[in-house]
Amino acid sequence: MDSAPPERTPSVFDLPLRPLRLTDPLRWLAAGWRDFVRAPGIGIFYGACFAAMGWMLLAMYRQAPAWVLALSAGFLLVGPFMCLGLYDASRRLERGERPDLGASLTAWDTRTGTMAIFGGVLLILEMLWGRASLIVFAVSFDGMPDFKGSLLALFDPENLGFIVAYLAVGSLFAGLIFAISVVSMPMILDQPVDAISAGLTSLRLCLTQPGVMLLWGAAITLLVGLALLPGFLGLLVVAPVVGHASWHAYRSAVGPPAAPSD
């Protein structure tokens, strides 16, 4: 008697991705703003955490501006991990539940191992970005400029080589981290997936729908960049809105796991 063929274990490539439109990033931001308005206390709390860490970096590295620029950028690159509480709040609002700050602070506890692994990867990449940024500074200047001098150097046409190298290194790390994390952390929070599957799903989304995801990345970069200008104060609102919007980006892009076939 013929035996039934063994059931195939679903792979990461079986996770469905939904088609997106170029207008979707605006829709995600609008949804993120609505979530922020519905739970402003939670949003302001996390926004204040982002702003406070920016102020701490300025205080600690005022005499080492290269570290300020590198770690500020790197800190923003690990934003998906820092926004877990905002993802949890948006998920509760989506379910018709009332968000709770205490619950958002412990949202990671159901997936501790997986989130720790993914967070560790982001931290390593952030440290590599910081080191690479320092190398660019070291080979571009005889000595490290002061804080004001380092900012002026970013816009001085005479330092074109430094500008190109700094932007190239930053773009490389930012693009890599964005590609593997754009939907990974909300996916880990929402579905029983491992860190590798979540990262590969995020990468697959960016590779299969590059136009929308490039637009989404550009929108995040522009908003966060503008939020940094008034002494990091813009992060009080921009950070939580982008965090909530990232949850809606995940929900729009990634479908539920396919049901196993008989």
Side-chain angles (χ1 to χ4, degrees):
M1 183 176 67
D2 295 335
S3 59
E7 182 178 330
R8 185 176 71 88
T9 303
S11 72
V12 62
F13 298 103
D14 293 319
L15 292 171
L17 297 178
R18 300 188 179 103
L20 300 174
R21 297 174 295 179
L22 291 177
T23 56
D24 281 339
L26 293 177
R27 183 170 59 84
W28 300 335
L29 288 172
W33 173 256
R34 288 194 296 271
D35 285 355
F36 174 73
V37 172
R38 293 172 67 187
I42 292 176
I44 292 295
F45 172 81
Y46 285 102
C49 289
F50 275 91
M53 289 186 180
W55 297 330
M56 289 173 61
L57 285 175
L58 288 177
M60 291 174 61
Y61 298 105
R62 187 168 295 278
Q63 302 304 317
W67 275 109
V68 174
L69 293 173
L71 294 181
S72 293
F75 170 71
L76 294 172
L77 294 178
V78 299
F81 186 76
M82 301 296 296
C83 287
L84 277 171
L86 296 168
Y87 303 152
D88 179 75
S90 287
R91 181 174 63 166
R92 291 176 182 273
L93 288 170
E94 186 178 274
R95 294 174 175 177
E97 302 173 3
R98 182 176 181 179
D100 179 76
L101 178 60
S104 73
L105 291 171
T106 58
W108 51 267
D109 62 358
T110 58
R111 305 284 294 161
T112 305
T114 302
M115 290 184 177
I117 292 172
F118 200 86
V121 171
L122 294 181
L123 179 60
I124 291 172
L125 290 174
E126 185 269 343
M127 293 173 65
L128 289 174
W129 157 232
R131 177 57 61 182
S133 177
L134 282 178
I135 293 174
V136 173
F137 267 83
V139 300
S140 300
F141 302 99
D142 294 333
M144 291 295 182
D146 59 17
F147 182 69
K148 180 180 179 181
S150 64
L151 292 179
L152 293 176
L154 292 176
F155 303 100
D156 189 347
E158 294 183 359
N159 295 321
L160 181 61
F162 163 75
I163 296 172
V164 172
Y166 192 86
L167 292 179
V169 171
S171 298
L172 175 64
F173 280 93
L176 176 61
I177 294 177
F178 176 80
I180 66 173
S181 67
V182 62
V183 296
S184 297
M185 295 308 293
M187 183 177 179
I188 291 173
L189 180 66
D190 190 49
Q191 299 188 27
V193 296
D194 58 81
I196 294 177
S197 296
L200 289 176
T201 299
S202 183
L203 181 60
R204 185 160 60 97
L205 174 64
C206 291
L207 292 176
T208 56
Q209 305 194 63
V212 178
M213 302 317 295
L214 282 173
L215 186 60
W216 179 227
I220 294 175
T221 301
L222 176 62
L223 289 173
V224 171
L226 292 175
L228 296 178
L229 296 179
F232 294 95
L233 289 175
L235 292 176
L236 290 171
V237 174
V238 171
V241 169
V242 170
H244 288 306
S246 296
W247 168 262
H248 292 284
Y250 152 71
R251 293 290 288 159
S252 294
V254 182
S261 57
D262 296 333

